[in-house]
Amino acid sequence: MNKPLLHVLGGGQWQVPTIRLAKSMGLRVLVTDMYPDRPGYHDADYFEVVDITDMEASLDIAKRYGISGVICDTTDVGVPTAAYIAEQLHLPGLSYDVALNFTNKWRMREVARGLGMASPDYFMVGEDDLQNYLNLSINYPAVAKPIDSQSGKGVSIVDSEAFAFSALQYAIDNSKSGKAIIESLVPGQEIIVDSFMLDGNATILGLAMKTRSRIEPTVSERITYTLATEFDKDTLAAVADTNQRLLSAMGLRWGIAHCEYIINDEDVIPIDISARGGGCMIYTHILPFISGTNANREMIKLAIGTMPEINKANPRAGNIEFFHLPNGILREWHGLSEVFSSPGVISIHFNIKPGDEVPALRNKDHRAGYILTGGTTSRDAIEYGLKAKSKLKARMQDSSTEVEVI
């Protein structure tokens, strides 16, 4: 009898842990991706080159191979396709309509407003009505962003109406549907809530505080996963209630959710709600460390029709310390052995490789990299991250001296 066949949408570096984990669980793996050379292909049993946003082509491949389940993690672009395949083949997963709630920021805003949740003023703008943006009654500063993108691509903070047109055009250019949303900027503390839904009940696996970059405020320079005991009790209750109500209203009954909110006085305001694991190794490294639950494993089980389990161990704290480089072309990194030997280090990732030119910091992918650390408290995790970061150096092209990361 053949082992169950899991269809993984996406074969990039962030899908490799899922592919390897599925294989270690005794499954066969089919990977589809639009690029002909992807790291995930080397670990998969089968692969096909196809755009994972092409739902019909992806469905045809799934039928041809006779898959047992389908999964798309850490990337929004394939979530609707995974849901479409699951729905058409009567496999476990989101319905297609629910998947759209989690990948369309306009739909999320409308659901939240329907629940009576606090919300900024917001409007949707398309290419055809961009010239009419001046008619929008919105308070500045504001945020312009695509309704259907990720990783901060196409996102801008708009200080005044004079910059709204260019910001909206930038957002539309980064939108698959050619539509953008502009909303008043909400002051307050931005947080991340990672949770797992079991038959409609949300269990919070991780709660993080985001620290905005001093260089580009649309991205973070630090994400710190705290212990529940380090959080104000009333605020924690309000966050849990908002998270539960919103996920339920958006239609998620089973599976992972990666959600961002802003705490503004007594209000918990939804910012970005996703039905997939968080990037920056949150899903694969941070959550297992801080919660004791490997959500990735449980999502694989869910995809093939096995009941997931949440086994929370003694809670721990985690930290993601991002770093940047000065302008120029990177020649080489120095100090890696010292970083890895530093206390509390879980992993390190580089977005900038030797030979790459350092881009201006405009979105999350432009950060040079990040260091993951863990500890018994969030203070420990942050201190470990800062110490490890201080040991990392770089040498730029045409320079004989080392530079410190920012």
Side-chain angles (χ1 to χ4, degrees):
M1 181 177 178
N2 284 333
K3 300 174 183 177
L5 177 60
L6 180 68
H7 183 181
V8 178
L9 297 180
Q13 61 178 325
W14 305 123
Q15 286 75 51
V16 168
T18 298
I19 297 164
R20 291 177 177 172
L21 180 57
K23 294 281 290 182
S24 75
M25 295 167 65
L27 306 180
R28 294 176 298 143
V29 177
L30 162 68
V31 172
T32 53
D33 195 292
M34 68 182 293
Y35 297 105
D37 185 17
R38 298 295 270 167
Y41 296 161
H42 303 290
D43 292 290
D45 294 280
Y46 321 99
F47 71 89
E48 295 280 349
V49 179
V50 63
D51 187 343
I52 65 172
T53 65
D54 187 331
M55 293 189 295
E56 293 300 337
S58 298
L59 176 62
D60 287 345
I61 289 172
K63 287 179 178 178
R64 174 154 51 89
Y65 278 86
I67 67 170
S68 309
V70 59
I71 196 168
C72 181
D73 56 14
T74 73
T75 177
D76 284 331
V77 296
V79 170
T81 301
Y84 181 72
I85 292 172
E87 196 169 65
Q88 293 296 310
L89 299 184
H90 307 290
L91 297 170
L94 304 177
S95 73
Y96 179 67
D97 193 59
V98 168
L100 293 183
N101 286 341
F102 284 93
T103 53
N104 184 301
K105 293 176 175 59
W106 174 260
R107 289 175 66 130
M108 181 276 289
R109 277 270 168 256
E110 292 288 278
V111 171
R113 185 166 68 176
L115 292 172
M117 291 182 173
S119 177
D121 297 330
Y122 61 96
F123 299 91
M124 184 163 60
V125 179
E127 186 75 52
D128 293 341
D129 51 12
L130 183 55
Q131 296 293 338
N132 299 323
Y133 77 92
L134 287 173
N135 296 327
L136 302 179
S137 300
I138 193 165
N139 294 319
Y140 292 93
V143 179
K145 52 191 174 183
I147 67 167
D148 51 5
S149 186
Q150 64 179 40
S151 299
K153 295 175 182 176
V155 179
S156 301
I157 291 179
V158 189
D159 293 325
S160 66
E161 190 176 277
F163 299 100
F165 185 90
S166 60
L168 284 168
Q169 184 67 67
Y170 175 57
I172 289 170
D173 290 344
N174 282 275
S175 167
K176 294 186 294 292
S177 61
K179 294 186 180 298
I181 187 170
I182 185 167
E183 57 190 37
S184 296
L185 182 66
V186 179
Q189 173 62 57
E190 191 170 357
I191 65 169
I192 295 173
V193 180
D194 292 287
S195 48
F196 205 101
M197 292 289 273
L198 293 172
D199 198 18
N201 296 307
T203 297
I204 294 178
L205 299 179
L207 181 64
M209 312 286 273
K210 296 180 73 173
T211 302
R212 288 178 178 168
S213 168
R214 293 160 291 179
I215 303 171
E216 171 51 60
T218 64
V219 303
S220 301
E221 68 177 33
R222 176 182 298 148
I223 297 175
T224 306
Y225 277 83
T226 70
L227 304 178
T229 53
E230 298 177 322
F231 223 81
D232 176 77
K233 189 175 297 185
D234 291 337
T235 303
L236 181 61
V239 168
D241 177 69
T242 299
N243 189 61
Q244 175 69 59
R245 290 197 299 129
L246 185 56
L247 292 178
S248 296
M250 291 176 70
L252 185 65
R253 291 196 59 79
W254 296 92
I256 193 75
H258 178 74
C259 308
E260 298 181 8
Y261 301 95
I262 286 183
I263 300 173
N264 178 258
D265 294 328
E266 297 180 356
D267 293 324
V268 180
I269 302 169
I271 298 298
D272 198 8
I273 311 296
S274 303
R276 44 88 177 162
C280 301
M281 299 184 179
I282 290 171
Y283 185 48
T284 55
H285 290 66
I286 290 289
L287 289 186
F289 177 85
I290 67 173
S291 72
T293 293
N294 189 332
N296 198 359
R297 177 182 293 274
E298 301 313 310
M299 284 298 293
I300 292 171
K301 289 165 59 177
L302 188 63
I304 60 171
T306 302
M307 183 65 68
E309 299 174 281
I310 303 299
N311 299 311
K312 297 190 73 174
N314 293 327
R316 293 183 286 186
N319 188 65
I320 306 173
E321 198 72 30
F322 297 95
F323 50 83
H324 196 59
L325 290 172
N327 293 337
I329 296 176
L330 174 66
R331 182 195 298 177
E332 55 189 348
W333 290 105
H334 285 198
L336 293 183
S337 60
E338 290 84 355
V339 171
F340 277 109
S341 63
S342 295
V345 170
I346 299 171
S347 190
I348 185 171
H349 174 75
F350 297 100
N351 290 327
I352 306 296
K353 304 182 298 297
D356 288 348
E357 184 171 2
V358 179
L361 185 59
R362 189 70 189 268
N363 63 55
K364 298 176 182 179
D365 291 340
H366 291 157
R367 293 176 294 205
Y370 47 87
I371 299 172
L372 280 66
T373 50
T376 55
T377 68
S378 59
R379 182 175 179 177
D380 291 338
I382 291 171
E383 287 183 356
Y384 289 149
L386 290 174
K387 286 180 180 178
K389 179 180 173 180
S390 70
K391 297 176 181 179
L392 182 63
K393 303 291 188 294
R395 182 163 290 162
M396 309 302 288
Q397 188 170 300
D398 301 324
S399 174
S400 59
T401 59
E402 293 181 345
V403 298
E404 293 187 356
V405 297
I406 303 172

